[in-house]
Amino acid sequence: MTRRKIIACLDIDNRRVVKGKKFQDVKELGDPLELAKKYEAEGADELVFYDISASVQQRGMFLDLIRQIGESIEIPFIVGGGIQTLSDVELAIEAGADKVSINSGALKNPDLLREASERYGSSRIMLSMDVSQSESGQWTVFAKAGNEDTGMDAIEWAKEAERLGAGEIVVNCIDEDGMRNGYNLELTSLVANSVSIPIVASGGAGSAQHIRDVFEQTNAQSALVASVLHFGIVSLDDLQQVVKEGSYGD
């Protein structure tokens, strides 16, 4: 039986931790280095650093900040945002990333997933998908921090990413992002059931029950949390208690 994981998420804009709702009304919340240390101490299994404006602003990553965080924590450290080339993957790993999460860069050049996984191993390469449901009911992938509708079907993109070598997929539901109404269990299940690699549920966590729901009702291996931690709604200890109490099959 695979142990489920809680991943603390730091969305970074202008070198500060921020959070909005459905990628809008973004507010500054704190210092990323301080929060990284805090969430590790409180029991996060992994930490993810998303530079949410790098692709939109067409700039590189804050490598000095990534390096500072990587040197300050011991839990697995995931870095995403602004990863457009194999060189970017290399820079992130050299700066301290244990895993690299690729989103818009893979949409622009799907072979980036293959090239990165061949060089560094699938276990270090993640695909991140920002997904929203259209009026027709199709789950569609968005690029550039949710600003650009690619028209791509999320389920087919997940399958392609696995074929290309991604070792893990973060499925973020834009419609639920920051809303604290719970993960979109339908989307999470559809993606998890379409691939054999681990899935990280993202977007919507608002309580410990939401963590329990996503692990009991989908095949997600990990749950990403942000707002509930930043605003002190639920503690990591409470979330880890859900993991300990659960009996989740593979």
Side-chain angles (χ1 to χ4, degrees), residues 147-204:
N147 290 296
E148 182 181 298
D149 185 351
T150 68
M152 293 176 60
D153 180 83
I155 311 306
E156 294 306 314
W157 178 222
K159 293 177 181 178
E160 177 67 2
E162 179 181 31
R163 186 188 70 78
L164 288 167
E168 201 166 352
I169 299 177
V170 180
V171 183
N172 184 53
C173 183
I174 296 173
D175 309 319
E176 300 295 343
D177 187 83
M179 301 304 291
R180 304 180 206 154
N181 295 321
Y183 300 98
N184 192 297
L185 302 178
E186 176 190 356
L187 171 62
T188 305
S189 290
L190 284 170
V191 178
N193 294 339
S194 70
V195 298
S196 59
I197 55 179
I199 295 298
V200 179
S202 175

Side-chain angles (χ1 to χ4, degrees), residues 46-201:
E46 298 185 6
L47 180 80
V48 60
F49 172 112
Y50 280 134
D51 188 337
I52 63 172
S53 56
S55 292
V56 175
Q57 297 175 0
Q58 296 184 328
R59 60 166 171 78
M61 300 166 282
F62 295 131
L63 291 172
D64 59 329
L65 182 54
I66 292 170
R67 190 171 291 107
Q68 283 183 311
I69 294 174
E71 292 173 349
S72 300
I73 62 174
E74 295 184 2
I75 57 176
F77 182 33
I78 305 161
V79 170
I83 309 290
Q84 301 291 328
T85 66
L86 192 60
S87 177
D88 292 332
V89 176
E90 181 178 8
L91 287 171
I93 289 174
E94 288 180 346
D98 296 292
K99 304 178 188 178
V100 175
S101 180
I102 307 173
N103 191 328
S104 295
L107 291 167
K108 183 178 179 180
N109 174 26
D111 271 347
L112 177 58
L113 293 172
R114 178 184 56 76
E115 294 167 357
S117 63
E118 286 178 353
R119 176 170 295 188
Y120 298 104
S122 291
S123 63
R124 303 190 74 175
I125 305 303
M126 304 173 73
L127 173 76
S128 180
M129 296 196 301
D130 294 318
V131 184
S132 182
Q133 191 168 35
S134 67
E135 292 183 2
S136 66
Q138 179 186 15
W139 291 105
T140 305
V141 178
F142 280 68
K144 296 182 180 178
N147 290 296
E148 182 181 298
D149 185 351
T150 68
M152 293 176 60
D153 180 83
I155 311 306
E156 294 306 314
W157 178 222
K159 293 177 181 178
E160 177 67 2
E162 179 181 31
R163 186 188 70 78
L164 288 167
E168 201 166 352
I169 299 177
V170 180
V171 183
N172 184 53
C173 183
I174 296 173
D175 309 319
E176 300 295 343
D177 187 83
M179 301 304 291
R180 304 180 206 154
N181 295 321
Y183 300 98
N184 192 297
L185 302 178
E186 176 190 356
L187 171 62
T188 305
S189 290
L190 284 170
V191 178
N193 294 339
S194 70
V195 298
S196 59
I197 55 179
I199 295 298
V200 179

